[in-house]
Amino acid sequence: MDRIKIIEVKESIFADNDAEANRIRQALKKDKTFLMNLMSSPGSGKTTTLIRTIDALKDHIRIGVMEADIDSAVDAEKIAETGIPSIQLHTGGMCHLDAGMTEQGLKEIGYENFDLVVLENVGNLVCPAEFDTGAVKNVMILSVPEGHDKPLKYPLIFTVCDALIINKIDVLPYFDFDLDKVKEYAHMRNPKLEIFPISAKTGEGMEAWTDWLKTQVMEWNGND
Amino acid sequence: MHEMGLMDAVLRMVDRIRREQQLGPVRKITLEVGELSGVVPRFLEECYEAVAAGTPFEGTELALEIVPGLARCEDCRSEFRPAGDVLRCPACSGEKLTPIAGKDMTIKEIEVFDPEEQ
């Protein structure tokens, strides 16, 4: 008869991923590279916001982009037009990136040659929030047409983010979107969350956002 | 599907523990799943079979132990067990809720065949 042995584990299912993410952050710190994990729903204007952000910062800092969006052949072409190096990551059919996949991407792009590497995560508000990628800061884009109740429906992503960009504020008059409510709901989940209402289309609010990002990059890389 | 990535993480972690501790073949994995962890237990079971297929975990057993969720209303300070997708306090209809238990997903234990007896 087979003998059965019980091994007590009692560890979070995220324990291994979190340990790897912490190793990535240490390597980034040592090599003076800032990794930003950008998350959002599909259609929130993530790529357009990213292109505007790159345009504002590319003369000051060296930027690289890692694309993980599922339909990102189009996105990758748009990023390529900015003249910024970008690579495509493969999630192996998963709905998120974990620390292991991010590490492979960082090696492939040669992260130590950049001040800022942007990880454009899979367009989804659930899975990417659960897996720490090793990013220094997590940023989420919420767009006006998605509605102001998202912090109530997807609480986790708001708790793991450092900054929330509210995009498409140019269409506020046409939607039943309460900007104060979304700020209140989001701060309820995460009192430290920085909130930047912007329009990537008109450029409104972009300066406050890119100034914040630049300051974060400089502080992390130790050249502030 | 959300649960697919979670089960993939579970199997990789169990495989790492098995290698490190030089354990025999796995028979059963027991997970503790919090009611507020945002996963659907039935989907976990389905994804487990899919992720385990074609690996040494194929045919192993998955046991799920549900950990009750508990939330606190920040307005009236009452504590309650949230049901379904209700996002309001049953006492005062407050919306400022803080999850205080049942948020996590944990690998509780693994059962292996003892290699010496094989």
Side-chain angles (χ1 to χ4, degrees):
Chain A
M1 211 172 82
D2 288 329
R3 246 185 55 191
I4 307 283
K5 207 159 97 178
I6 294 178
I7 313 292
E8 191 175 85
V9 182
K10 285 274 176 203
E11 271 191 277
S12 160
I13 68 158
F14 301 110
D16 281 9
N17 186 72
D18 290 351
E20 186 160 14
N22 285 331
R23 284 198 298 275
I24 292 173
R25 264 187 295 276
Q26 283 170 12
L28 291 168
K29 184 76 188 168
K30 184 175 132 289
D31 291 319
K32 297 178 187 290
T33 302
F34 184 98
L35 177 64
M36 174 175 90
N37 177 24
L38 188 60
M39 299 179 280
S40 77
S41 303
S44 64
K46 195 161 38 160
T47 305
T48 308
T49 305
L50 186 53
I51 288 169
R52 298 279 182 191
T53 305
I54 290 169
D55 284 341
L57 296 178
K58 69 179 178 188
D59 293 338
H60 310 284
I61 53 178
R62 298 167 300 166
I63 308 174
V65 175
M66 305 196 293
E67 289 275 351
D69 229 349
I70 289 164
D71 60 349
S72 59
V74 181
D75 296 349
E77 282 167 24
K78 284 195 217 157
I79 299 289
E81 285 170 19
T82 65
I84 292 294
S86 69
I87 60 164
Q88 176 71 49
L89 298 184
H90 303 286
T91 61
M94 292 292 174
C95 50
H96 66 278
L97 279 173
D98 63 15
M101 295 183 246
T102 305
E103 190 175 31
Q104 284 174 21
L106 285 168
K107 281 185 186 149
E108 190 187 329
I109 200 168
Y111 72 92
E112 59 281 359
N113 299 319
F114 299 98
D115 302 306
L116 166 66
V117 174
V118 179
L119 172 62
E120 192 176 340
N121 214 316
V122 181
N124 169 340
L125 297 182
V126 180
C127 317
E130 292 178 323
F131 286 87
D132 187 344
T133 58
V136 180
K137 296 285 176 190
N138 292 312
V139 177
M140 173 190 174
I141 303 176
L142 175 70
S143 64
V144 166
E146 291 170 70
H148 59 245
D149 58 352
K150 287 291 173 291
L152 297 177
K153 290 187 174 164
Y154 301 93
L156 183 65
I157 194 158
F158 290 88
T159 62
V160 301
C161 279
D162 302 283
L164 169 66
I165 292 172
I166 300 173
N167 192 23
K168 307 190 186 179
I169 55 168
D170 51 301
V171 299
L172 267 175
Y174 310 103
F175 285 88
D176 183 19
F177 184 96
D178 189 331
L179 197 55
D180 291 331
K181 264 256 148 67
V182 84
K183 287 179 183 172
E184 186 197 329
Y185 289 157
H187 279 143
M188 218 161 82
R189 300 291 164 212
N190 179 359
K192 290 188 199 150
L193 189 68
E194 300 275 353
I195 300 180
F196 301 100
I198 67 156
S199 165
K201 193 177 164 196
T202 66
E204 190 181 348
M206 281 299 292
E207 204 175 330
W209 150 245
T210 55
D211 281 353
W212 178 85
L213 178 58
K214 194 177 160 195
T215 305
Q216 300 299 316
V217 173
M218 295 298 197
E219 276 178 11
W220 175 261
N221 296 349
N223 31 2
D224 49 326
Chain B
M1 195 186 290
H2 166 225
E3 283 77 4
M4 193 75 98
L6 302 180
M7 286 319 302
D8 180 63
V10 167
L11 288 191
R12 277 194 283 160
M13 209 160 136
V14 171
D15 194 48
R16 191 260 303 159
I17 293 166
R18 198 187 58 77
R19 274 183 284 113
E20 276 177 9
Q21 301 189 21
Q22 300 183 345
L23 303 170
V26 173
R27 198 188 83 84
K28 180 178 168 186
I29 299 172
T30 305
L31 301 181
E32 288 175 337
V33 182
E35 275 182 342
L36 305 183
S37 65
V39 306
V40 181
R42 187 170 59 85
F43 291 167
L44 279 182
E45 284 162 359
E46 285 172 11
C47 289
Y48 182 74
E49 272 183 41
V51 176
T55 77
F57 291 100
E58 188 167 338
T60 58
E61 195 183 327
L62 175 73
L64 302 178
E65 293 180 5
I66 307 299
V67 178
L70 196 63
R72 183 178 58 227
C73 171
E74 299 301 339
D75 289 330
C76 74
R77 311 300 287 176
S78 65
E79 290 180 4
F80 62 98
R81 186 174 172 181
D85 293 329
V86 177
L87 295 164
R88 285 174 183 277
C89 168
C92 76
S93 299
E95 290 181 342
K96 293 181 185 169
L97 309 178
T98 308
I100 48 181
K103 282 189 295 181
D104 302 321
M105 222 179 122
T106 309
I107 301 176
K108 185 189 179 195
E109 61 190 29
I110 50 184
E111 256 181 53
V112 297
F113 293 107
D114 199 336
E116 275 141 50
E117 297 293 312
Q118 292 289 298

